Amino acid sequence: MRRWVVRLLSAVVVLLALFCAFVWVMEFYPRRVAHPPLRLAEGTLAIEHARIYISPSDPPIDDGSILIRNGLIAAVGKQIEIPAGTTQLPCNGCVVTAGFWNAHVHFTEPRWSGAEFKSAATLNAQLADMFLSRGFTTVVDLGSNPADTLAIRRRVESAELNGPFIYTAGPPLYPPHGIPFYLHDTTPTWIRALMLQPATPAAAQNDVRRNIAAGSDVIKLFTGSWVAHGRVLPMPLAVAKAAVETAHLNGKLVFAHPSNLAGVRVAMESGVDVLAHAADDTQGIGQGLLATIVHNNMAMIPTLKMFTTTVTPDPHYMDPIYAEVREFHDLGGTLIFGTDVGYMTDYSTEGEFEALGKCGLTATDVLAMLTTNPAAKLGVSAQKGTVTLGKLADLTVLDADPASDLANFSRVDAVVRSGRVILQSIRLPRLPHP
Ligand SMILES: [Zn+2]
């Protein structure tokens, strides 16, 4: 063989090997040890002279104290003994609730890509900005690149990063030819081609199994996908049913993006557990249908601010969506807090709380959305959701009472997760070891 042919072939082989190594390092190396054992804080921490909301249904304890030992709540009440040498989280008249959940987030912004190799300082600043300064101790990622989310999740759980506990759906499942139009501008064609669009029940089962094997905690379906302005493509019912059945057989919940009546119907008939949004096209979604959703125990994450900020500035656009959420709530439906942050690039939560107020929700209702409702839905009520002896010390500290104004849920002063103070606002004096 001629020498130049041999050289060319060698170069191709070397380049191919380098490419494979690069893909492995970027995509597969970060996915190892998906859930390491959760590292709890050691030692004791106390919060004193606080107004404590133990749960949405209990009256608050005024001038109460919480003692945390080794990451768990060791005592809570009016007169509890604080051992000498306990670290004090500064709080005078602050308001303490169980740690907040945001059950609809994404790690898809460019700032998260290559998370495995980003410095802890960079990621800590981003996690504080997006989640901790908003009071979130647990989040549910409803669709991101698993290489990034799993790397962040592992680094948070091993206490290398200060962040919320993360559940992730991994890659979502779309209807065949059903990638939403609003992803076209931000996603390169070759990535869109890789997005899961199972055409048959067997393909859906495979995709769900593969997601679970790769570390997904929940499954996300686009049961109704906005493929163009004004046009929703529903997921074929048989495909959705196969996906939900496989998820449930593996003990996983299914979240669905419904968009309109057809998307809600597919979600309902396939047995989806949580609507990841209110339906934004409310045509045909009346009391009867909402009552069936409630009867089927399907929860809803309204994501109201996302609609107001990313769809249209028309103020009346939201009126039927507010009415839908109000009706669902009045019928006894379970609402869960979520904002779609990550897709929505404005991280502040105040607007969502104000919008929930427009649906007639009280501070008690919203506290349940932020704490007990998601903990119950995800099956972790024994560990999270209330400020109760023996539960994980996941706490959100506010500087004003939401009972007087729902927007006070956004006035976060400090966040404790698994007993560790992972955020303190500048309004508080520094702790010796934050
Ligand atoms: Zn989303």
Side-chain angles (χ1 to χ4, degrees), residues 223-224 232-235 258-267 283 285:
T223 55
V232 172
L233 181 69
M235 180 174 273
S259 303
N260 72 353
L261 176 62
V264 170
R265 282 232 165 97
V266 172
Q283 220 174 7
I285 299 180

Side-chain angles (χ1 to χ4, degrees), residues 329-407:
H329 175 68
D330 289 348
L331 288 163
T334 300
L335 290 169
I336 291 177
F337 189 84
T339 56
D340 207 357
V341 66
Y343 168 65
M344 182 177 65
T345 50
D346 170 0
Y347 298 167
S348 71
T349 50
E350 205 176 333
E352 186 68 18
F353 293 120
E354 281 167 3
L356 291 169
K358 289 181 185 167
C359 302
L361 301 185
T362 65
T364 303
D365 300 327
V366 176
L367 183 59
M369 291 177 71
L370 286 162
T371 58
T372 45
N373 289 356
K377 200 72 198 173
L378 273 285
V380 290
S381 291
Q383 295 92 44
K384 296 183 186 209
T386 60
V387 187
T388 310
L389 191 72
K391 286 197 185 182
L392 273 175
D394 284 7
L395 303 170
T396 299
V397 181
L398 307 170
D399 87 331
D401 195 337
S404 57
D405 182 355
L406 289 183

Side-chain angles (χ1 to χ4, degrees), residues 35 38 98-105 107 130-132 134-141 153 156-157 163-168 217 336-339 341 369-371 374-375 378 380 383-385 392-396 415-418 422:
H35 268 302
L38 184 64
F100 293 170
W101 289 59
N102 187 336
H104 191 149
V105 312
F107 290 93
M130 196 158 159
F131 304 115
L132 305 184
R134 326 292 168 183
F136 299 119
T137 56
T138 309
V139 301
V140 185
D141 157 45
R153 186 172 79 176
V156 167
E157 287 174 27
F165 186 90
I166 299 167
Y167 291 95
T168 183
D217 305 294
I336 291 177
F337 189 84
T339 56
V341 66
M369 291 177 71
L370 286 162
T371 58
L378 273 285
V380 290
Q383 295 92 44
K384 296 183 186 209
L392 273 175
D394 284 7
L395 303 170
T396 299
V415 173
V416 178
R417 192 185 55 74
S418 315
I422 55 172

Side-chain angles (χ1 to χ4, degrees), residues 104-106 142-143 220 222 257 276-277 303 306 340-341 343:
H104 191 149
V105 312
H106 297 280
L142 291 184
K220 164 83 176 287
F222 279 72
H257 186 131
H277 301 280
T303 69
M306 184 276 289
D340 207 357
V341 66
Y343 168 65

Side-chain angles (χ1 to χ4, degrees), residues 297-317:
N297 201 22
M298 190 156 67
M300 182 198 285
I301 306 170
T303 69
L304 301 169
K305 183 185 158 185
M306 184 276 289
F307 293 130
T308 62
T309 55
T310 65
V311 181
T312 163
D314 174 5
H316 297 296
Y317 165 74

